[in-house]
Amino acid sequence: VNEPVLLNLLDAKSHNVRAAALRALALWYPKVSNTPALLAKAVGDQHPQVRLEAVIALRKTKTPEAAKTALTVLDAQMDEFLDFALWQTVRELEPVWLPKLKMDANLLGDAKKTAYALKSATGADAATLLTALYQKGQVPDDFQKDVLASIARLGQPSDLNILLDLAVQNNNKNAAAQLAALEEAGNQRHVAPNKNPERIATLIGNEEEAISLSAIRLIGLWKLSSLNDRLTGLIQRGNPATKKAALGALGAIDKPKALQLVTDLTGPKNTPEVRIIAAAQLAGLDEKEGARVSAELMRTLPADTDMSDLFLAFIPSNPGSAALAEAIAAKQIPEAVAKRGRVLVQQRAGWTRQS
């Protein structure tokens, strides 16, 4: 290796030359002396292409200090290419920096750099450290979405306990996002808080409807049977969106009870809107009965009633779509309703009428 020539190229006026020299340095490491210092200088280069090559080259050193150096690129303006390169470098170096970060919270620099590294990591230990950082309010606004996504993807019950602690606090502007992360963890991994999860019920009726509905759905995801009576009351007295969420939650906890309530709500003593909501929920509990009831509602409700939810309830499932098609074939529904249903099905599933 002709080190003097390489060093001259690393200081060239052209950013293209400096970037190319860094690629050579990455190939020749560790034959070049003082490589960490050279890369540290390059990460602070005025040109983003040079900074990019420096961040990539730091993967070769396999040290915690390399991760810290790479993260200093966050002090300058970032672009999508730099962001991806830094994300990949931090991930590749995770085995060497994460164990040391557990012993030294300041290992990677400031909270912004630490949050970036932890949200890029893949281990459950990283999620626990990240949750603690989030709890302290040390996560920059720009990283909030990614951080919650990481906790949802990797967090353990103890981490989700902290999210729930935060979500149920008064005047919490981030409650909706925190609840969404809890829903994601429940839906994708079936992981839930294990410290008094029933306190989620305190958010039912929140002035922000999205928070209230999310709380109701979480009751179902976490199968909190102690709140069945609360769900039943919401089904009987809530607004349409609340009824729908509560029916879904109760169905996840106590299917027989939900089936009975839903069936009652499809009856003629209820408004058309409530009957449609109930029939759509019935589709998830008993496809054939839901299809039969839905077809009957399509036939008997006023022609100007919006029955989109009846069709949409069956589209995601091939057996459900077949059950609805069979039920409709057995009854003569209004032509306008049939046309609207056909359009919805074609838009959502690319499905064409069965012959």
Side-chain angles (χ1 to χ4, degrees):
V1 175
N2 193 330
E3 189 169 323
V5 172
L6 178 61
L7 294 177
N8 284 333
L9 294 175
L10 287 170
D11 284 330
K13 290 184 178 181
S14 168
H15 70 270
N16 287 320
V17 173
R18 297 197 302 275
L22 284 167
R23 287 196 291 274
L25 176 60
L27 292 172
W28 291 337
Y29 174 84
K31 296 178 180 179
V32 179
S33 61
N34 206 23
T35 299
L38 295 173
L39 292 176
K41 178 183 177 182
V43 169
D45 195 277
Q46 62 182 357
H47 199 282
Q49 185 178 344
V50 178
R51 299 198 296 273
L52 175 70
E53 295 296 342
V55 168
I56 293 171
L58 280 161
R59 298 170 198 166
K60 299 285 188 177
T61 66
K62 305 295 183 185
T63 65
E65 292 73 24
K68 180 177 181 179
T69 300
L71 287 162
T72 62
V73 78
L74 292 169
D75 294 332
Q77 186 174 356
M78 295 287 288
D79 58 35
E80 61 183 305
F81 304 106
L82 272 169
D83 183 65
F84 180 75
L86 179 60
W87 173 83
Q88 194 167 19
T89 294
V90 167
R91 278 201 165 194
E92 288 192 20
L93 296 176
E94 181 181 344
V96 295
W97 63 257
L98 183 56
K100 289 188 174 294
L101 184 65
K102 294 177 186 178
M103 297 181 288
D104 179 6
N106 298 314
L107 174 73
L108 300 177
D110 56 35
K112 178 180 180 180
K113 297 178 179 67
T114 302
Y116 186 99
L118 290 171
K119 79 181 181 68
S120 303
T122 60
D125 289 347
T128 296
L129 294 175
L130 185 59
T131 303
L133 202 66
Y134 182 81
Q135 184 182 27
K136 295 174 185 176
Q138 295 180 349
V139 173
D141 290 343
D142 290 350
F143 294 171
Q144 294 274 329
K145 183 178 178 181
D146 286 348
V147 164
L148 286 173
S150 181
I151 296 172
R153 187 175 66 253
L154 300 169
Q156 299 305 299
S158 57
D159 304 318
L160 302 186
N161 285 334
I162 292 174
L163 274 193
L164 182 56
D165 289 340
L166 296 171
V168 298
Q169 290 179 357
N170 293 327
N171 303 316
N172 175 15
K173 66 178 183 178
N174 297 314
Q178 290 156 359
L179 293 177
L182 289 170
E183 284 196 67
E184 183 72 11
N187 280 317
Q188 298 299 322
R189 300 190 293 126
H190 307 293
V191 180
N194 56 13
K195 186 181 74 175
N196 188 21
E198 289 80 8
R199 56 205 163 111
I200 190 68
T202 61
L203 295 175
I204 296 175
N206 188 281
E207 61 182 13
E208 189 176 337
E209 187 178 46
I211 291 176
S212 180
L213 296 177
S214 185
I216 295 169
R217 291 191 296 268
L218 284 167
I219 290 172
L221 273 174
W222 297 342
K223 300 191 183 303
L224 302 178
S225 57
S226 61
L227 295 172
N228 279 5
D229 289 345
R230 184 75 182 274
L231 293 174
T232 301
L234 293 171
I235 292 167
Q236 293 169 342
R237 297 181 294 275
N239 62 30
T242 297
K243 287 179 186 290
K244 184 175 181 179
L247 281 167
L250 188 61
I253 300 170
D254 188 342
K255 186 174 179 178
K257 186 172 184 179
L259 192 58
Q260 180 181 350
L261 279 170
V262 168
T263 301
D264 289 344
L265 289 172
T266 62
K269 64 181 179 180
N270 299 292
T271 65
E273 184 178 43
V274 170
R275 296 176 75 186
I276 288 172
I277 290 171
Q281 292 299 309
L282 183 56
L285 299 169
D286 185 332
E287 285 179 340
K288 288 190 175 181
E289 181 62 13
R292 185 193 68 79
V293 171
S294 295
E296 181 63 19
L297 291 178
M298 293 175 191
R299 188 180 69 84
T300 59
L301 288 179
D304 59 350
T305 305
D306 183 1
M307 302 187 201
S308 300
D309 284 351
L310 296 180
F311 291 98
L312 296 176
F314 292 91
I315 290 173
S317 162
N318 288 332
S321 297
L324 182 61
E326 183 179 346
I328 289 175
K331 300 179 182 291
Q332 290 194 353
I333 66 173
E335 183 179 355
V337 175
K339 287 182 177 179
R340 174 57 180 155
R342 182 182 177 86
V343 170
L344 278 172
V345 172
Q346 290 175 334
Q347 288 176 342
R348 299 299 179 95
W351 179 83
T352 55
R353 186 177 60 187
Q354 299 178 19
S355 57

